[in-house]
């Protein structure tokens, strides 16, 4: 069994490639919930939904999130009422949030609802929120402490960051099956997700970081940087803002405690010796999942 610590779009693409070369029944994704929030009274879980839609073959491939072919009539009507439309929820996507919110209100856990939605949409792998307890990633910025989606979507992460915090970790417990998935996996993969925004909130749940530390030699992470830059999103800027080198060496420093092998892109091959000098193995391959063949090559590398 393989367990993949997962954020949103990058993780979803790697998982989609993994299931083409590995038995999906043997793939377990432990997913970040620090981005989850309530808007219009609905509980929205962007990373869980991105992975669900991708593995169900229903994702909007242009954005990487939301549903393919979705329409925006509800958002448009909401805008007419003066409602909040900065976070774009498609008409079909809204059904997911309605269903989830209703089930949570009935007392179901996030794990149960995730399982129900995944089963309905024929997702072939096991998806687990890292915790069923409330967790929220908070970004300390030049404008004060911001909720994650306020920072990421509303302000397009175009702000200076002094710290990333995860609220709720003291009381959070790993969701059922999470620690077993880490313990029993033949390999633990950290997807090419943002180390601070997507992976740290997973590691911050009590027991998870220790579980990875215990298995460090079996943990392989994919660097989200390519040629020393982030393809999309604020990974490079956050490395800089938070005092790390803006390179795969910086990524290695962030992951040093928990990762035995770092996968880096061919364009970053020159920093491989510096990463090895930090006591980490390095694999060099194409990490850009520009097409299915490249994604499969990356999937083969993390399994090799
Ligand atoms: N990202 C955006 O940049 N703009 C949006 O309006 C937006 C809406 C959205 C709706 C549902 C969903 O599941 C994801 C959505 N995302 C949107 C993606 C998103 O929130 C972030 O990419 C993640 O939270 C970071 O992993």
């Amino acid at each position: 069994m393989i367990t993949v610590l997962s954020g949103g779009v990058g993780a979803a693409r790697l998982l989609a490639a993994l299931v083409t070369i590995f038995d999906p029944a043997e793939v377990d994704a432990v997913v970040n919930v620090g981005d989850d929030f309530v808007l219009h009274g609905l509980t929205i879980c962007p990373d869980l939904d991105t992975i669900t839609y991708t593995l169900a073959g229903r994702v909007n491939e242009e954005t990487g999130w939301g549903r393919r072919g979705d329409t925006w009539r509800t958002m448009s009507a909401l805008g007419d009422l003066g409602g909040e439309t900065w976070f774009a929820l498609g008409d079909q996507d809204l059904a997911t949030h309605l269903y989830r919110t209703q089930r949570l209100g009935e007392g179901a856990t996030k794990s149960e609802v995730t399982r129900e939605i995944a089963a309905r949409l024929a997702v072939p792998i096991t998806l687990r929120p890292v915790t069923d307890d409330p967790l929220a990633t908070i970004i300390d910025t030049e404008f004060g402490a911001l909720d994650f989606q306020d920072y990421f979507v509303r302000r397009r992460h175009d702000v200076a960051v002094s710290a990333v915090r995860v609220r709720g970790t003291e009381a959070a417990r790993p969701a059922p099956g999470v620690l077993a998935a880490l313990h029993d996996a033949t390999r633990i993969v950290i997807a090419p997700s943002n180390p601070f925004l997507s992976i740290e909130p997973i590691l911050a749940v009590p027991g998870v970081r220790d579980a990875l530390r215990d298995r460090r030699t079996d943990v392989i992470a994919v660097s989200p940087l390519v040629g020393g830059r982030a393809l999309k999103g604020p990974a490079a800027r956050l490395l800089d803002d938070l005092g790390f080198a803006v390179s795969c060496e910086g990524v290695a420093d962030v992951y040093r405690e928990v990762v035995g092998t770092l996968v880096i892109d061919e364009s970053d091959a020159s920093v491989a010796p510096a990463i090895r000098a930090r006591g980490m193995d390095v694999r060099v391959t194409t990490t850009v999942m520009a097409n299915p063949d490249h994604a499969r090559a990356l999937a083969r590398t993390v399994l090799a």
Side-chain angles (χ1 to χ4, degrees):
M1 189 185 78
I2 289 181
T3 296
V4 184
L5 303 199
S6 303
V9 179
R13 289 187 174 146
L14 178 62
L15 287 163
L18 265 177
V19 300
T20 67
I21 59 168
F22 196 78
D23 180 2
E26 296 289 314
V27 178
D28 216 291
V30 173
V31 183
N32 172 39
V33 293
D35 301 13
D36 297 6
F37 71 131
V38 174
L39 186 64
H40 318 302
L42 302 174
T43 299
I44 300 168
C45 304
D47 287 352
L48 283 166
D49 291 346
T50 294
I51 294 173
T52 299
Y53 295 156
T54 302
L55 290 179
R58 294 176 193 235
V59 81
N60 176 340
E61 269 146 18
E62 271 158 48
T63 54
W65 49 264
R67 285 179 71 143
R68 186 190 308 135
D70 217 340
T71 50
W72 307 95
R73 298 186 61 168
T74 310
M75 278 287 110
S76 170
L78 189 61
D80 292 344
L81 297 175
E84 292 196 58
T85 56
W86 57 271
F87 197 81
L89 297 168
D91 297 323
Q92 294 180 61
D93 188 28
L94 274 163
T96 305
H97 315 310
L98 288 170
Y99 179 81
R100 174 186 294 119
T101 304
Q102 170 71 16
R103 292 288 294 123
L104 292 173
E106 289 167 359
T109 63
K110 201 173 271 185
S111 293
E112 288 165 343
V113 182
T114 299
R115 208 160 40 235
E116 290 166 9
I117 295 171
R120 282 285 182 172
L121 298 184
V123 170
I125 68 168
T126 302
L127 278 187
R128 302 180 196 279
V130 62
T131 180
D132 287 331
D133 298 316
L135 209 66
T137 303
I138 305 291
I139 320 291
D140 288 330
T141 74
E142 54 188 312
F143 303 109
L146 301 179
D147 291 341
F148 180 83
Q149 299 295 352
D150 186 6
Y151 157 77
F152 197 90
V153 173
R154 192 171 358 202
R155 298 180 195 242
R156 301 169 197 274
H157 45 75
D158 190 20
V159 291
V161 171
S162 53
V164 178
R165 294 180 283 129
V166 188
R167 193 173 60 207
T169 51
E170 305 75 25
R173 294 149 301 170
V178 165
L179 292 183
L182 296 171
H183 187 262
D184 298 345
T186 48
R187 172 151 311 172
I188 299 169
V189 179
I190 297 184
S193 301
N194 189 300
F196 303 105
L197 301 179
S198 300
I199 302 303
E200 176 57 29
I202 300 175
L203 298 176
V205 172
V208 174
R209 196 187 312 274
D210 286 344
L212 262 75
R213 261 198 214 112
D214 289 348
R215 305 219 39 206
R216 185 176 177 274
T217 51
D218 300 315
V219 180
I220 183 164
V222 182
S223 169
L225 295 192
V226 176
R229 301 159 65 133
L231 287 181
K232 218 180 135 195
R237 177 165 189 175
L238 284 174
L239 281 164
D240 197 29
D241 284 0
L242 299 176
F244 291 87
V246 185
S247 71
C248 293
E249 293 166 83
V251 175
D253 286 335
V254 177
Y255 283 150
R256 189 181 233 159
E257 269 182 274
V258 293
V259 168
T261 304
L262 188 66
V263 180
I264 64 172
D265 190 72
E266 283 155 359
S267 58
D268 296 303
S270 63
V271 300
I275 297 171
R276 290 199 180 95
R278 288 163 161 81
M280 216 180 253
D281 272 349
V282 181
R283 288 192 196 148
V284 181
T285 185
T286 305
T287 62
V288 187
M289 292 179 278
N291 60 51
D293 283 345
H294 285 180
R296 257 193 300 278
L298 178 59
R300 270 190 220 101
T301 302
V302 301
L303 292 182

